[in-house]
Amino acid sequence: MRYSALGVFWHGLTGNKGWKPVWRNPDPKPHYDVVIIGGGGHGLSTAYYLAERYGIRNVAVLEKGYLGSGSIGRNTTIVRANYMLEGNSQFYSHSLKLWENLEAELNYNVMHSQRGQVMLGHSDGQMDMLARRGNMMRMQGDDAVLWGREDVRKHLPYIDHENARFPVYGGLMHWRGGTARHDAVAWGYARGADMRGVDLIQNCEVTGIRVEGGVVRGVDTTRGHIGAGKVALTAAGRSSQVAAMAGLRLPIESHVLQAFVTEGLKPVIPHVVSFGMGHFYISQSDKGGLVFGGDLDMYNSYAQRGNLPMVEHVAEAGMALMPMIGKAKMLRSWGGVMDMSMDGSPIIDKTDIAGLFLNCGWCYGGFKAVPGSGDAFAHLIASGNHHPAADKFLLSRFRTGHVIDETGNGATPNLH
Amino acid sequence: MSRLAKGGQIDRSQSVPFSFDGRTLIGHAGDTLASALIANDVKLVARSFKYHRPRGILTAGSEEPNALVGIGTGDQIAPNVRATMQEVYRGLAAHSQNHLGPLAYDLLAVNDLMAPFFGAGFYYKTFMWPKAFWEKIYEPLIRRAAGIGALSGVEDRAAYDKAFAFCDVLVIGAGPAGLMAALVAAKGGADVILVDEDFRMGGRLNADMQEVGGKPGADWAADTVADLAAMDNVRLMPRTTITGAYDGGTFGALQRVSHHIARPGADLPLETFWRIVAKRAILAGGALERPIVFPDNDRPGIMLASGLRSYVNRFAATPGQAVSLFTNNDNAHQTARDLQAAGVRIAAVIDSRADAKISGDFPVLTGASVIATKGRKALRGITVQTASGIRNIETDCLAVSGGWNPSVHLTCHMNGKPVWREDIAAFVPSDGAIPGMIVAGAAGGDFSTHAALKTGAGAAKAVLKDLFGKAPRITLPKAEDAPGAMTPFWHVSGGRGRAWLDLANDVTTKDVVLAHRENFRSVEHLKRYTTLGMAPDQGKLSNLGALAIMAELTGQTIPETGTTIFRPPYTPVAIGALGAHGKHKGFAPERFIPSDALAREQGARFVEAGLWYRPSWFPAGGETHWRQSCDREVNMVRSSVGLCDVTTLGKIDIQGPDAAEFLDRVYANMFSTLKVGRVRYGLMLREDGMVMDDGTSARFSDTHFVMTTTTAAAGQVMTHLDFCAQVLWPELDVQFISVTEQWAQFAVAGPRSREVLAGLCDTAITDEAFPYMSCGEVSIGAVRGRLFRISFSGEHAYEIAVPARYGDALARTLDGAAKALGGGWYGMEALNVLRLEKGFITHAEIHGRVTADDIGMGRMVSAKKDCVGKVMSQRPGLSGPEREQLVALKPVGAVKQFGGGAHLFNEGAPQVRENDQGYVTSHCFSPTLGHPIALAFVKNGHARIGEHIRMKDYMRDIETICEICPPVHLDPEGGKLRG
Amino acid sequence: MRITCPICGDRDLREFHYRGAAKLMHRPAPDAGDEAFYDYVHIRENPPGLNRELWFHELGCRAWLVAERDVTSHEFKSVELAAEAKRGAK
């Protein structure tokens, strides 16, 4: 059913009894053209674009828990296209353009809010790095403005301009950056895929990938064997394990990233703000909670929970940058498991096994990538060719040295 | 006045004036804000989150979803403080929240009329057209209506602290189970910490009328607390909430140190955030009463029965004069009797059970339920459905009891999933959910006081046996042992009006029905779609009710429907407390160079360099712009002599028979061939083949080297060396230690540098004794130091090092000597110009993505030996014309400025990413050359010397043509260095 | 999280630096070839249960440690000095 303001009004008058299920609960069929492992943002968007753009509708998305139970519902909801290096730059630029039309395309309000995202700089060297990044964004056709001290003071009057340990020199403002309602993105794509005939199968864990003679044949699941012409992996957080079912070994470690939200507060932080000298970034949700986060806990983990040292560091960094948030109370903390790749950039690629496709290594850039990743992955699955916006995300780059290392930290996943 | 004439644990001799929304009221010592408001007949205390419904006080605990207020004055008002947890003090200023206009006449209450259209998730279905309206109109409207309290936008000036504590046994909760557990554990010799979120320990014993050990429960609690306080091995922490359970027996705890004090001393923090490390923990957090859901169950005056008992028994304040109760259990009948004993009239007891056995001198309706309520700003009456028909009852307070939910929250923090217990229709903690933690009392589903005492003692004994192998014998005090019968009754079906589940987030039963209809049926979907349980109480009062309704709709049992996981913190914690000491300069250590005092005396402007403060420039007479100072300092170095404190460079003392072999393995180039008394530039790679750092190493003997690193990478290099020595090659006999702090080191640079040193050192500083790239020990008076003839400026230069305690003295001595020759100090700005003129690199260039080849040092990677990073540096993608290689740029024509981070394009090519040729890493104005210069990475740059290239800086709006040139502008043959 | 350093005893997580899989102890021979180094530097088994991994007591005794830890429960099973483990392995 189509959603509209008029619909909300009409159904409201009739007791909201006319709304229909947003997706079906189908039983798995014996065989699909494409089986997607993982019903998170990337899996659901891949399914949607396969059906919508490539006419491939005999598709199943297998999810071991509930739809959107992974990082799509655990992130800090930031959407941006502010990368410095070729490969990332064109990809996130493409993804942002898809975001900008997502609500119209999906007929679902994902509350994409282009409120502006600013990265602050705290030294001349950092300002030059921000300028390099901002220039790349402009060269890619995206927006970026380099703010000086006075600009920051004008737009962010609440940060510590007087006594900061690391004074703010300026910042890089990306006005098209912002946030979106994370769960709604999963639901919007799920609804769109379901409407186009994709089977979304929840509580269905993949236990094996069948490969015969170098060709993928299907998957074994907790709900039986499901045959497949092609199998696509979108199980970030668990990529290593799922890939291992097909004998693949990945340049990935799983790490936990914590995120935090405060109690609801009246609007006080209009933009998304990132600190340049500590691990802290923050925005305010439409419900009023300050949503903030920082760095990984640093150790490998599959536990979806973290420990106090990073909680405290993030809060300390927050107090260092904007001591006005001291009286805001942290309501909830949680952890998500990240596929941390060896250069901090993702992998969208074919594999040595015919019909088996890989989409992983999103580190903590996965949320904003959801539209672009789904589109590019669907393109690869459907055509066998790399999408031009994602043709640098090859698994082979670690062998050849064509790594895409935004932080310059090398093969140390927890530092990306 | 609702204050009862007698009873309660308040001090009637102390009257405490406070204000609510500007109105002065009187409470007593021992009151919470909530109890004092009740005593002053204040019913309406807040407006709800979404629909701005009038709300009153629902509970007497930290789970309170309604009575959130602002506390404080001016720009320091703390938002969303639970009135139920805030103690009153003289002058306390409380403010209601979330209304436009006065609390009683909130204009935003209009939202309530729109409720049919504002159901769960309505916003996902609308506000999509036209597109531009979202950020400009719809979203700002939603944002302004949302939120509860407010921040002022001004710095939080409160002081917060942090602390660690360690113990054998942490007892969480000081009700009967916790007190008993602490007492037994302490008597058994364990170090005990007992925490409770209340300011008065005792838990329900303070609020319920019952006897323990032959005396009133509250008295037994007070006596036990006094006994514990007298024991050396017990630390009592009232006003402290365990916020989270973490790995390794670590618990987070928030202590509200001075929230209850009118004028705390300057030495008291507002709050202290504790990290408590406990060998064992006993969770005795009790249980939370759960509501029954019925139409219009959110009116001020409707509260939980346990809250009502607290107010009447503990605070001697009654929320109503004609009180009714709605219950599904025996427990609430005790409430009615308590109230009657306190002289409060009982309008009716409505029990959902047809077979309820009730005695009491008040009207009882069994098999009945409340189907409607009236009274907008305060409850006036209820409508009850009984088997025989409908009855209207006048009442100004309705107490509700739907049974009890054990406080499982902490046991979920490490992924533990609570398990369902059918007999109590509640979730209880799963065994072993937190390693080392045992659950006792109501938290484990044992609801009688006797059971609490027994399981508390039992838990302590188990812990003692586990830790010490024995436990003392104890006799339990006598207490009530009737858990009370209960028949699950979650919600009243039908009826008009909305039935509220999550009062904090305004979620109704209709929202759950809608979520079911739209197939958001998994618990997490339900929660995320309706926002149930996402509000300040984390769904403590509402989650189970919602699950029960979803279970009815799907035909499943509650445990089949699922449980929701509670996340830390147990109750919200101020960021200021978690981030204590992060404000201002407290965020990171400050490192000061040995010549810091001298530089400040000379008026130096400082800059942060990592954790260090380094002089940026030294303004001399009349100079008003940093460039004037910088240019002068550069000229000074080039023409006479300049001094610079370079103590910040990482210094690592490396010794042992295998020291040379070790350096050969960690540096790309060879060090075993370095002669004693000589210094060599070294390039260090990461194992992936990229450059990690550069620096010099000096050989003082066959087995002794002193390595320097860059300031930026000092820590990283030290960690790397430790890794190499311990993890890769423990067979090498080499030892090293960071001596960065131990040695003060100064660069003395310029054609007259030798003259400065000649007068200082007792050794002759000749080209023979100290040729370029040599080192040796020298004496400066009685002080033994080290002298290195190295240069980062391109000039004849030295670095002289003395033990750090002589740094200031040496700086002052050098200062005098240099100034006598027309020299002086130079700062980071001049240092940067000097190195750029000479083409030296810093981490602006070696930023982690460059190879030795990229920076023109490919030949330094020795072919004769292995080193870290050698194999991977030979990957095909790391060489060839596609690589960006280090070059310098100089202007073509009159160019005023280069831009750091500007990108480079071939002339005539559109300036888009596809045509990117590279970027500028560092730049400056060179006073020596009289024009700007820059270092840049350019595709195939080494082969393009002499070509023109266009520099474009979108950020600073600069565009210019440059010539690609070799990095070294000055003295390429190095004559100055050697001369 | 607490780690029992063989030298210093039971210490808080914040004193430690994490490096990752203990396979990094076994650097290939210089002539082992590109594939061996690719595997060493980039490939991780990353299993969801017990892992052998390298920790560094950076803000303590500066010993590199080899720990066995379950990355699903975060529970440590053993901690030993990396240098001793390396010597023992030879």
Side-chain angles (χ1 to χ4, degrees), chain B residues 76-206:
Chain B
Q76 296 293 298
I77 295 174
N80 301 352
V81 176
R82 278 75 182 148
T84 50
M85 298 301 287
Q86 173 67 52
E87 295 164 60
V88 289
Y89 56 79
R90 180 172 293 272
L92 168 81
H95 317 271
S96 59
Q97 303 186 137
N98 200 32
H99 46 86
L100 187 63
L103 174 64
Y105 306 96
D106 179 10
L107 296 174
L108 288 171
V110 65
N111 284 5
D112 204 23
L113 302 175
M114 304 289 284
F117 317 109
F118 287 180
F122 79 98
Y123 28 76
Y124 302 129
K125 299 167 182 164
T126 182
F127 300 137
M128 289 178 274
W129 185 89
K131 196 175 143 185
F133 274 31
W134 175 249
E135 278 96 356
K136 294 203 165 52
I137 296 174
Y138 301 139
E139 190 179 39
L141 276 174
I142 291 173
R143 294 190 74 176
R144 206 161 46 200
I148 314 172
L151 293 175
S152 68
V154 171
E155 176 178 329
D156 178 7
R157 292 189 293 275
Y160 299 91
D161 207 353
K162 280 193 198 176
F164 275 99
F166 300 83
C167 63
D168 293 326
V169 186
L170 170 66
V171 181
I172 303 163
L179 286 173
M180 200 66 210
L183 194 64
V184 173
K187 284 186 172 163
D191 279 327
V192 175
I193 295 178
L194 174 62
V195 301
D196 195 282
E197 62 180 354
D198 206 330
F199 60 93
R200 184 184 181 99
M201 289 185 162
R204 291 304 309 170
L205 295 178
N206 291 328

Side-chain angles (χ1 to χ4, degrees), chain B residues 126 361 502 506 778 795 835:
Chain B
T126 182
D361 183 17
D502 184 337
D506 276 353
V778 293
E795 296 298 327
R835 68 102 185 172

Side-chain angles (χ1 to χ4, degrees), chain B residues 152-477:
Chain B
S152 68
V154 171
E155 176 178 329
D156 178 7
R157 292 189 293 275
Y160 299 91
D161 207 353
K162 280 193 198 176
F164 275 99
F166 300 83
C167 63
D168 293 326
V169 186
L170 170 66
V171 181
I172 303 163
L179 286 173
M180 200 66 210
L183 194 64
V184 173
K187 284 186 172 163
D191 279 327
V192 175
I193 295 178
L194 174 62
V195 301
D196 195 282
E197 62 180 354
D198 206 330
F199 60 93
R200 184 184 181 99
M201 289 185 162
R204 291 304 309 170
L205 295 178
N206 291 328
D208 295 345
M209 289 296 179
Q210 51 180 298
E211 292 210 332
V212 177
K215 49 187 161 186
D219 292 353
W220 181 85
D223 293 348
T224 306
V225 169
D227 290 347
L228 288 167
M231 297 168 85
D232 289 341
N233 54 335
V234 177
R235 181 203 282 260
L236 298 177
M237 298 179 74
R239 299 188 178 92
T240 303
T241 306
I242 297 294
T243 60
Y246 300 91
D247 288 309
T250 304
F251 295 84
L254 185 77
Q255 184 182 22
R256 288 172 295 280
V257 179
S258 60
H259 277 288
H260 60 294
I261 304 174
R263 286 195 185 73
D267 56 338
L268 274 189
L270 185 66
E271 298 175 347
T272 297
F273 185 73
W274 291 82
R275 285 68 58 98
I276 301 177
V277 181
K279 290 186 185 131
R280 297 289 183 275
I282 297 172
L283 175 62
L288 297 177
E289 194 168 26
R290 59 199 189 201
I292 297 171
V293 178
F294 52 91
D296 287 325
N297 58 336
D298 68 329
R299 300 196 190 281
I302 297 175
M303 61 171 27
L304 288 175
S306 55
L308 176 66
R309 281 205 302 286
S310 292
Y311 291 117
V312 170
N313 294 335
R314 175 174 170 184
F315 299 103
T318 181
Q321 307 303 327
V323 175
S324 49
L325 285 103
F326 182 21
T327 182
N328 66 349
N329 61 72
D330 292 350
N331 202 281
H333 296 250
Q334 181 62 40
T335 309
R337 287 188 286 269
D338 286 0
L339 288 172
Q340 252 188 344
V344 179
R345 186 168 77 81
I346 303 299
V349 172
I350 301 114
D351 197 312
S352 62
R353 301 169 297 175
D355 60 348
K357 295 182 186 63
I358 307 137
S359 58
D361 183 17
F362 38 74
V364 175
L365 306 171
T366 53
S369 55
V370 177
I371 57 165
T373 69
K374 63 180 181 181
R376 181 150 178 83
K377 289 166 197 166
L379 183 70
R380 287 190 285 116
I382 58 176
T383 306
V384 178
Q385 171 89 56
T386 68
S388 57
I390 286 174
R391 280 180 60 177
N392 290 314
I393 297 169
E394 282 192 18
T395 178
D396 59 352
C397 174
L398 173 63
V400 182
S401 176
W404 294 82
N405 286 336
S407 289
V408 300
H409 314 83
L410 281 176
T411 68
C412 299
H413 288 182
M414 292 173 70
N415 297 352
K417 279 210 167 66
V419 292
W420 182 254
R421 240 177 76 182
E422 192 64 36
D423 62 324
I424 56 170
F427 285 103
V428 295
S430 56
D431 284 339
I434 306 292
M437 180 190 272
I438 302 179
V439 183
D446 295 312
F447 291 146
S448 80
T449 305
H450 170 75
L453 296 167
K454 189 177 160 195
T455 54
K461 282 173 147 183
V463 163
L464 290 170
K465 281 188 188 141
D466 197 13
L467 290 176
F468 308 127
K470 60 183 165 57
R473 296 180 63 85
I474 46 117
T475 318
L476 286 181

Side-chain angles (χ1 to χ4, degrees), chain B residues 708-953:
Chain B
T708 62
T709 73
T710 60
T711 302
Q716 184 194 359
V717 170
M718 187 64 197
T719 295
H720 175 64
L721 296 187
D722 275 318
F723 175 83
C724 292
Q726 297 177 40
V727 180
L728 297 183
W729 310 304
E731 69 277 11
L732 292 184
D733 188 354
V734 58
Q735 306 295 328
F736 47 88
I737 190 166
S738 167
V739 292
T740 304
E741 279 85 355
Q742 280 67 28
W743 291 87
Q745 193 153 317
F746 300 95
V748 184
R752 304 189 73 176
S753 54
R754 189 186 328 225
E755 292 172 60
V756 170
L757 293 170
L760 232 65
C761 303
D762 53 7
T763 320
I765 314 291
T766 61
D767 276 338
E768 291 68 39
F770 279 96
Y772 179 55
M773 296 303 270
S774 67
C775 64
E777 298 203 331
V778 293
S779 294
I780 304 116
V783 177
R784 298 291 290 166
R786 290 168 178 168
L787 188 66
F788 307 85
R789 186 163 166 197
I790 52 179
S791 173
F792 195 53
S793 60
E795 296 298 327
H796 182 132
Y798 302 83
E799 289 184 12
I800 185 165
V802 292
R805 62 188 179 280
Y806 301 114
D808 177 70
L810 179 60
R812 289 173 194 279
T813 308
L814 289 169
D815 180 64
K819 284 192 175 145
L821 298 170
W825 295 89
Y826 62 98
M828 294 293 285
E829 293 292 347
L831 181 144
N832 193 45
V833 174
L834 292 163
R835 68 102 185 172
L836 283 174
E837 289 178 342
K838 188 64 183 171
F840 287 137
I841 54 174
T842 69
H843 278 274
E845 285 73 39
I846 44 175
H847 49 49
R849 288 173 293 266
V850 303
T851 65
D853 208 36
D854 295 338
I855 54 172
M857 297 186 188
R859 274 172 298 177
M860 279 183 69
V861 184
S862 171
K864 295 180 190 146
K865 64 174 185 70
D866 180 36
C867 71
V868 171
K870 183 174 174 179
V871 171
M872 292 299 269
S873 74
Q874 293 157 356
R875 285 181 286 173
L878 298 186
S879 57
E882 281 303 302
R883 291 295 295 179
E884 291 167 337
Q885 296 164 342
L886 185 70
V887 295
L889 300 176
K890 62 183 181 191
V892 174
V895 172
K896 286 205 182 90
Q897 194 189 347
F898 287 156
H903 280 252
L904 304 165
F905 301 90
N906 290 333
E907 283 188 274
Q911 292 154 3
V912 295
R913 177 183 52 76
E914 290 80 355
N915 298 326
D916 189 18
Q917 294 298 303
Y919 55 93
V920 174
T921 56
S922 309
H923 69 103
C924 70
F925 177 82
S926 164
T928 312
L929 302 169
H931 59 74
I933 54 171
L935 285 177
F937 282 97
V938 175
K939 271 188 186 149
N940 201 25
H942 295 158
R944 295 171 67 178
I945 303 299
E947 282 185 25
H948 286 189
I949 198 158
R950 180 175 291 269
M951 190 206 74
K952 170 75 181 179
D953 187 349

